[in-house]
Amino acid sequence: QVQLVESGGGLVQAGASLRLSCAASGRTFNSGTMGWFRQAPGKERDFVAANNGIADVDYYTDSVKGRFTIAVDNAKNMVSLQMNALKPEDAAVYYCAASGTALVWGIRDPSLYEFWGQGTQVTVSS
């Protein structure tokens, strides 16, 4: 049974940093895709960042480029999201996601990820 378990969310002030971590168990994703999505109240689940495990290429949504960094540790079967210079609009529930496929064109599509964590809340006060 595959499980993704996130940690690291919390309440911070605008401009601060947070680091989210996601530990995978049950299988490895070094030839697949691991990433992060977020969902604010009343909104759809949006793509944040992901790593294509075969090409080892990172993808980001435009609003987080230069502020967020995704990192995959294949030895530990973990993915992290370092979030710097947080803004109030970054507040959401953040979900770790994984796919057994090394996604490219569909890497931003949540429907292509088979496995999901339970989510961790990130709150940013202004």
Side-chain angles (χ1 to χ4, degrees):
Q1 182 181 359
V2 176
Q3 284 191 317
L4 303 178
V5 179
E6 302 105 332
S7 60
L11 168 64
V12 296
Q13 290 188 331
S17 298
L18 273 178
R19 183 181 180 88
L20 306 182
S21 295
C22 173
S25 61
R27 65 163 288 173
T28 60
F29 295 97
N30 53 323
S31 60
T33 305
M34 297 193 80
W36 294 91
F37 289 76
R38 64 187 180 187
Q39 188 167 21
K43 296 188 176 181
E44 294 184 348
R45 191 168 297 189
D46 292 330
F47 172 79
V48 177
N51 172 268
N52 176 305
I54 289 182
D56 196 20
V57 174
D58 299 329
Y59 297 80
Y60 297 93
T61 192
D62 287 346
S63 63
V64 308
K65 285 181 181 177
R67 299 189 298 123
F68 290 13
T69 303
I70 188 171
V72 175
D73 186 335
N74 289 316
K76 296 181 179 179
N77 212 19
M78 294 184 67
V79 59
S80 64
L81 185 69
Q82 178 66 42
M83 305 185 294
N84 298 329
L86 282 161
K87 303 176 181 180
E89 52 263 42
D90 294 318
V93 177
Y94 282 70
Y95 295 91
C96 174
S99 171
T101 303
L103 300 171
V104 178
W105 64 268
I107 201 165
R108 294 172 175 82
D109 184 350
S111 71
L112 298 182
Y113 291 76
E114 304 98 287
F115 308 103
W116 292 86
Q118 80 285 357
T120 185
Q121 178 73 49
V122 172
T123 304
V124 184
S125 63
S126 58

